[in-house]
Amino acid sequence: MEKRFIYADNAATTAVSERVLKAMLPYFTEQYGNPSSIYKLGRDAQRAVEDSREKVAAALGCTPPEIYFTSCGTESDNWAIRSTALRLGEKGKKHIITTNVEHHAVLHTCEYLAKQGFEITYLPVDSEGLVTAEQVADAIREDTALVTIMYANNEIGTVMPIAEIGKVCREKGVLFHTDAVQAVGNVPIDVKAQNIDMLSLSGHKIHAQKGIGALYVRKGVPLPNLTFGGGQERGKRPGTENVPAIVGLGEAITAACEDIPGKTERVTRLRNKIIDGVLEIEGSRLNGNREKRLPGNINISFLGVEGESLLLLLDTKGICASSGSACTSGSLDPSHVLLALGLPHEVAHGSMRLSISAELTDDDADYIIAAVKQVVERLRNMSPMWEDIISGKEHTEKLLKFVSEIKSKS
Ligand SMILES: *Cc1c(COP(=O)(O)O)cnc(C)c1O
């Protein structure tokens, strides 16, 4: 098979699309005014920022003044969580509810707040990575300041029951924030209908550039500043606006939301083709829920395979894949998300995430399936662990139980 180059790590970041780049370009060398300046060059930049705000608002079903531009998804998460904690903590509300599969932008923020005297409830997910609205309802207390639950998981693609959780939070009068960085542009979002109070998003996951994000804050929800300075973003998020990036984000979110049903159908078909093809490999398992899943996400574990080696060999075949979150790869700790599903360490270590874009073709999918099959076979031929697993010699009890589960499924 002729070697291809296939970028299948769109959950880590995406290429800036031609359409987005084209929209941005004038704002570097022609329309470079400062949006705060009084003359036309500045006013034009201001108009571009406001146009983009309207586009982001339209994509989420809110009004433009409810959108604040930030530097990234991480900043949006920090702002929503820390500022709410600061404000409500002073009123004695020092309890936060989240899950054990959040992105580190949320988990590490919660860990920081725990050191500041907050109590954090980490709702455990089920074996497919889901929490329920009932779990949230049961965890809410008098002193709960905030519920923060991701819309869709970056590693296993699981889409949480956000509307149900939003309803529970609204009924109980507790603020609800969602990290929707992976969901925006991939699933239809309506912050009003879904009772979402705050929502984080990021540009570089939807074909805009790195270093631009936004936070939706429902009108009437007070959110103290994280940083102080000039009057930009109505004084809430000061600093001269990154006009080209903001313009790019508006264009990217518009493009991503133009035909979500059509895109979902096309991408889901290819995703399922890859999942079915790869699962033909003996001793493999799909992580996450098959249906409640982002269209482009594939996450599969292989018994007796070491994940890093798998990724390196796929790279030699021109395939960019990931073992989980880009932030933790390089470290030897297995993914906290896969461990939260109940996977033994050994299995979590042998995992691969592919996140495909709408550009992927059927031929690409065939190439991926064939390459993964070859690479897994090659690694197993080199590994004594695989021999031990199939001959039943492998030691830990949890792994043995898991192996028999996987075997009984196939
Ligand atoms: C990528 C990602 C983030 C961080 O966004 P940045 O813009 O890279 O800071 C946060 N949450 C999730 C779920 C992500 O996938």
Side-chain angles (χ1 to χ4, degrees):
M1 207 182 309
E2 200 176 321
K3 187 173 162 182
R4 290 176 177 239
F5 176 77
I6 300 173
Y7 183 74
D9 204 14
N10 289 276
T13 196
T14 59
V16 172
S17 71
E18 286 296 329
R19 173 173 165 180
V20 167
L21 182 65
K22 195 157 164 272
M24 289 170 68
L25 279 177
Y27 293 92
F28 288 99
T29 52
E30 294 156 36
Q31 306 275 18
Y32 50 80
N34 186 322
S36 302
S37 298
I38 194 109
Y39 39 79
K40 184 168 184 302
L41 194 70
R43 293 198 312 272
D44 286 350
Q46 176 73 36
R47 166 116 7 98
V49 168
E50 295 315 317
D51 279 353
S52 180
R53 199 185 310 281
E54 274 174 30
K55 289 175 183 167
V56 176
L60 301 179
C62 64
T63 63
E66 294 174 304
I67 298 296
Y68 298 90
F69 292 112
T70 65
S71 69
C72 59
T74 301
E75 185 194 330
S76 299
D77 285 340
N78 268 266
W79 188 13
I81 299 168
R82 282 165 61 191
S83 289
T84 301
L86 185 72
R87 179 174 69 87
L88 293 176
E90 279 171 1
K91 297 181 182 166
K93 296 197 169 194
K94 300 198 109 184
H95 177 231
I96 294 171
I97 298 168
T98 187
T99 76
N100 58 358
V101 295
E102 299 295 312
H103 188 273
H104 284 141
V106 170
L107 281 184
H108 289 167
T109 301
C110 288
E111 281 168 27
Y112 162 79
L113 288 171
K115 289 201 191 104
Q116 309 292 311
F118 282 80
E119 194 187 324
I120 318 289
T121 297
Y122 297 95
L123 297 176
V125 294
D126 68 11
S127 62
E128 296 188 326
L130 289 162
V131 291
T132 63
E134 292 73 53
Q135 277 177 284
V136 176
D138 291 345
I140 290 176
R141 317 189 306 214
E142 276 295 298
D143 63 341
T144 304
L146 178 72
V147 171
T148 174
I149 293 180
M150 69 195 327
Y151 205 121
N153 187 272
N154 46 303
E155 295 190 36
I156 54 173
T158 311
V159 181
M160 298 288 193
I162 291 300
E164 282 99 314
I165 295 170
K167 187 160 175 275
V168 161
C169 291
R170 190 62 56 87
E171 278 167 8
K172 302 229 178 199
V174 174
L175 289 174
F176 175 40
H177 164 255
T178 185
D179 174 342
V181 171
Q182 293 289 337
V184 166
N186 289 316
V187 294
I189 296 179
D190 183 334
V191 289
K192 301 292 163 191
Q194 294 171 304
N195 290 310
I196 298 167
D197 296 306
M198 290 176 280
L199 177 147
S200 303
L201 62 90
S202 175
H204 76 103
K205 307 286 175 76
I206 55 169
H207 302 286
Q209 71 162 79
K210 295 160 188 69
I212 183 70
L215 180 66
Y216 150 78
V217 184
R218 182 168 62 79
K219 186 168 182 273
V221 174
L223 196 67
N225 288 30
L226 267 196
T227 51
F228 298 89
Q232 295 92 352
E233 299 298 289
R234 280 147 287 139
K236 303 298 297 173
R237 201 283 185 176
T240 302
E241 298 88 341
N242 186 344
V243 180
I246 289 172
V247 168
L249 176 60
E251 192 66 22
I253 203 166
T254 304
C257 295
E258 250 161 23
D259 179 23
I260 291 181
K263 191 170 64 175
T264 299
E265 198 185 310
R266 273 180 288 120
V267 178
T268 303
R269 185 183 65 76
L270 288 174
R271 176 199 77 193
N272 288 343
K273 176 177 173 162
I274 297 172
I275 289 176
D276 292 336
V278 171
L279 284 183
E280 284 171 7
I281 298 172
E282 189 189 350
S284 61
R285 106 188 263 277
L286 178 69
N287 297 315
N289 183 286
R290 181 96 190 203
E291 273 81 42
K292 292 170 189 153
R293 184 179 202 95
L294 288 174
N297 177 285
I298 297 149
N299 190 312
I300 293 180
S301 296
F302 304 97
L303 291 174
V305 167
E306 205 270 306
E308 306 277 308
S309 318
L310 179 73
L311 301 186
L312 290 173
L313 285 182
L314 285 176
D315 189 30
T316 67
K317 294 192 174 292
I319 298 172
C320 302
S322 157
S323 58
S325 59
C327 326
T328 46
S329 68
S331 78
L332 278 174
D333 291 337
S335 139
H336 68 283
V337 176
L338 296 179
L339 294 182
L341 304 182
L343 263 65
H345 276 241
E346 300 90 321
V347 181
H349 259 306
S351 304
M352 163 192 81
R353 177 190 72 185
L354 300 168
S355 38
I356 60 175
S357 78
E359 312 284 294
L360 197 95
T361 64
D362 266 286
D363 286 348
D364 291 337
D366 290 332
Y367 181 87
I368 289 174
I369 295 166
V372 173
K373 283 181 173 171
Q374 276 175 20
V375 166
V376 169
E377 192 184 319
R378 187 165 151 209
L379 287 171
R380 281 177 175 168
N381 284 339
M382 290 160 37
S383 135
M385 189 174 154
W386 176 241
E387 281 290 307
D388 288 352
I389 289 169
I390 44 175
S391 64
K393 246 170 65 191
E394 182 54 48
H395 23 281
T396 74
E397 212 168 284
K398 195 171 175 194
L399 180 62
L400 282 177
K401 185 173 155 280
F402 215 75
V403 171
S404 63
E405 266 173 33
I406 291 181
K407 279 186 177 160
S408 68
K409 263 185 211 151
S410 54

